[in-house]
Amino acid sequence: IGVGFLMADAVDTVATKFPSVSFAIVDFSQAALKHKPKNVLGILFKEQESGYLAGYLAGLVVKHQGGKQIVSTVGGQKIPPVDRHIAGFQAGAKAADPGIKTLNSYSQDFVDPAKCKEIALNQIGAGSQVVMQVAGGCGLGALDAAKEKHVWGIGADADQSFLGPHILTSALKKDDVAVFKTIQSVQDGTFTGGRDVVFDVKSGAAGLGKISAKVPQDIVAKVMAKQKEIAAGKLSIPTEVK
């Protein structure tokens, strides 16, 4: 299993050399691999759905709090999985609060927290009341900035509520569920390469992590109602950052 968009060339090369071995790659379509090896399964996520829910919550919270109606995102590299999160977040925030302003910058890094912290501090200085990180380890710096400046932070991929009470929620992407199901399919003989499997809110592999207890229950109820709409396929959510 290759984990991440950046592993595409390596998986393509090795899977082509070993056609009798099963491979999977997270965050990359099998059809987009150079040699399109039939022994590879692409594991994709509708990150835009998790992002939308996080943005919708952020928009409602900022509207409730008053003050500058600004929220922001700190992305790592500008690659499709990152942009799907951000595009969804921006759409969700604007659905909740049409007058809201969304800021976004990329660190071009997934490792160095200092780079993301500097970006987040600039966004907070510009009035952002909620900062969502979509930058892996680098993104921890953005959440640290939120803590330092007493604004909300939103985690990504895993539930990052353990970082402290400044975490509003996390935009979940359950790689563990997807990878486990893929391994299970190899074990029980049902693995089929040459295609993609897409995980989303409906399948339980995307959604929100723990929501802060400080959020009013009527806001939580609105977010949960929106989650049901997404699971039912009633919302069209953008995947590209404008």
Side-chain angles (χ1 to χ4, degrees):
I1 293 172
V3 183
F5 186 89
L6 302 176
M7 300 294 136
D9 288 344
V11 169
D12 181 66
T13 299
V14 182
T16 302
K17 284 184 179 177
F18 298 93
S20 61
V21 177
S22 298
F23 289 83
I25 180 165
V26 177
D27 286 346
F28 202 87
S29 171
Q30 180 273 343
L33 292 171
K34 186 178 178 182
H35 296 98
K36 298 179 174 52
K38 297 295 184 185
N39 53 331
V40 178
L41 178 74
I43 298 175
L44 301 176
F45 293 85
K46 289 188 177 178
E47 292 94 347
Q48 67 270 22
E49 294 185 350
S50 298
Y52 187 98
L53 289 171
Y56 192 71
L57 173 61
L60 291 176
V61 166
V62 167
K63 198 174 180 181
H64 175 74
Q65 287 180 174
K68 289 186 178 179
Q69 299 297 287
I70 303 173
V71 294
S72 62
T73 42
V74 179
Q77 291 184 28
K78 184 175 171 59
I79 57 177
V82 170
D83 274 1
R84 286 194 290 268
H85 262 310
I86 294 168
F89 179 87
Q90 293 179 342
K94 287 169 183 172
D97 183 2
I100 206 164
K101 183 178 179 182
T102 58
L103 308 176
N104 177 55
S105 291
Y106 300 92
S107 63
Q108 302 305 332
D109 192 289
F110 286 112
V111 180
D112 185 1
K115 290 180 181 177
C116 285
K117 185 168 185 177
E118 184 180 355
I119 291 170
L121 287 172
N122 287 336
Q123 291 175 342
I124 295 164
S128 178
Q129 294 196 56
V130 182
V131 179
M132 182 168 98
Q133 74 92 356
V134 197
C138 176
L140 293 173
L143 298 179
D144 191 47
K147 183 179 182 179
E148 197 175 281
K149 295 297 181 181
H150 307 292
V151 301
W152 290 110
I154 294 180
D157 297 342
D159 190 330
Q160 296 186 302
S161 58
F162 64 89
L163 292 171
H166 63 294
I167 301 298
L168 179 60
T169 190
S170 301
L172 293 188
K173 173 176 159 182
K174 298 182 182 177
D175 295 276
D176 55 342
V177 172
V179 169
F180 182 82
K181 286 184 175 179
T182 302
I183 294 169
Q184 206 169 39
S185 74
V186 174
Q187 191 177 36
D188 64 23
T190 60
F191 178 90
T192 308
R195 65 190 180 102
D196 296 328
V197 175
V198 181
F199 292 88
D200 54 13
V201 163
K202 186 178 180 180
S203 66
L208 292 183
K210 184 180 177 184
I211 296 174
S212 170
K214 294 177 184 175
V215 176
Q217 281 307 300
D218 63 318
I219 289 179
V220 175
K222 286 177 183 175
V223 174
M224 292 302 103
K226 193 62 69 174
Q227 181 168 298
K228 285 182 180 176
E229 277 185 51
I230 291 171
K234 293 179 179 177
L235 281 182
S236 177
I237 303 172
T239 57
E240 295 182 9
V241 178
K242 293 179 181 177

